[in-house]
């Protein structure tokens, strides 16, 4: 049985964040608002919870789950190294709609899917998401929808698709225009824009001092 908490109300928000944190620590799934679309999340280091997340969405490990973090400094413990280009982009666009693909730290024992030794990281610009991430640490988070269906822009849409596979729904109101994050791959030296979204190519190019193009 799942529970929905209205995070636009201070009292309900506090109760909901506590319930969500307990659910994540117990290996459960939560739906949380972000600055792009609503996400379904689990403890990034709990492989059973990540597998449950994939099952709830109806997809396999061939599409790895991104990881959301609550602070810049968290990244240093998750990746092999943070190149200067990554630091420049983090300083310019985090928290916000930019995801960075970097080589993961070899010591990490997690199973996010077929990542080929990489991890997709983002720090969302949403107070509810940040509060939860700062409480429980890095979370594996994917869009809160069944695979092949539109991403959810509010908690009701997420619940219609995911139902009781999720223990806690944090309702932060509508997410606004559902624009996905921009994804930049920094694993090969030269930046590759895998998906253009909330952060434009022009803004990326300005920060990095080189013209970037999105993969076709």
């Amino acid at each position: 049985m799942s529970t929905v908490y209205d995070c636009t109300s201070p009292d309900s928000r506090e109760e909901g964040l506590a319930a969500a944190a307990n659910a994540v620590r117990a290996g459960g799934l939560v739906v949380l608002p972000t600055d792009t679309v609503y996400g379904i999340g689990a403890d990034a280091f709990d492989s059973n919870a990540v597998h449950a997340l994939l099952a709830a969405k109806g997809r396999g490990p061939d599409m790895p789950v991104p990881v959301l973090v609550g602070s810049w400094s968290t990244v240093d413990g998750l990746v092999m190294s943070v190149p200067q280009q990554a630091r420049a982009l983090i300083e310019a666009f985090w928290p916000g709609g930019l995801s960075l693909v970097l080589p993961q730290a070899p010591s990490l024992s997690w199973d996010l899917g077929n990542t080929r030794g990489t991890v997709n990281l983002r720090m969302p610009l949403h107070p509810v998401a940040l509060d939860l991430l700062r409480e429980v640490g890095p979370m594996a988070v994917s869009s809160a929808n069944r695979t092949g269906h539109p991403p959810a822009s509010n908690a009701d849409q997420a619940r219609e698709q995911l139902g009781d596979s999720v223990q806690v729904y944090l309702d932060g109101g509508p997410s606004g225009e559902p624009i996905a994050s921009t994804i930049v791959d920094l694993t090969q030296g030269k930046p590759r824009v895998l998906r253009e979204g909330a952060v434009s190519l022009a803004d990326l190019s300005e920060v990095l001092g080189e013209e970037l193009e999105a993969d076709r």
Side-chain angles (χ1 to χ4, degrees):
M1 186 69 182
S2 58
T3 307
V4 180
Y5 294 89
D6 178 7
C7 291
T8 63
S9 162
D11 290 342
S12 181
R13 170 181 166 148
E14 185 176 349
E15 184 182 359
L17 284 168
N22 288 336
V24 171
R25 294 189 184 109
L29 303 179
V30 302
V31 159
L32 63 156
T34 79
D35 48 331
T36 54
V37 295
Y38 270 68
I40 176 175
D43 181 349
F45 297 98
D46 185 333
S47 58
N48 289 331
V50 175
H51 292 164
L53 186 159
L54 290 170
K57 284 182 61 71
R59 82 183 200 195
D62 53 309
M63 296 178 67
V65 186
V67 172
L68 296 189
V69 298
S71 70
W72 292 6
S73 59
T74 306
V75 174
D76 291 293
L78 302 179
V79 302
M80 193 177 300
S81 65
V82 183
Q84 183 53 44
Q85 289 176 320
R87 292 203 185 275
L89 292 172
I90 286 171
E91 290 175 6
F93 301 114
W94 278 19
L98 177 67
S99 299
L100 298 177
V101 180
L102 293 162
Q104 73 169 53
S107 59
L108 292 181
S109 57
W110 60 12
D111 181 7
L112 302 170
N114 300 334
T115 64
R116 297 176 177 84
T118 67
V119 61
N120 181 337
L121 296 169
R122 188 168 86 85
M123 181 180 176
L125 181 58
H126 194 289
V128 173
L130 288 174
D131 282 351
L132 181 59
L133 291 163
R134 287 165 180 164
E135 178 67 25
V136 302
M139 290 180 63
V141 179
S142 183
S143 57
N145 60 286
R146 295 281 297 175
T147 298
H149 294 260
S153 59
N154 59 57
D156 287 341
Q157 290 177 3
R159 197 175 189 194
E160 287 172 6
Q161 298 191 52
L162 301 170
D164 287 339
S165 63
V166 172
Q167 283 69 54
V168 173
Y169 287 83
L170 298 179
D171 185 351
S175 62
E177 189 174 356
I179 302 174
S181 66
T182 295
I183 303 176
V184 178
D185 184 344
L186 294 170
T187 63
Q188 305 297 323
K190 181 176 175 56
R192 291 178 56 211
V193 180
L194 304 183
R195 179 180 73 196
E196 184 177 10
V199 177
S200 70
L201 288 174
D203 288 343
L204 293 171
S205 300
E206 182 178 355
V207 169
L208 295 179
E210 60 179 290
E211 188 170 349
L212 301 182
E213 295 182 354
D215 281 7
R216 301 300 179 188

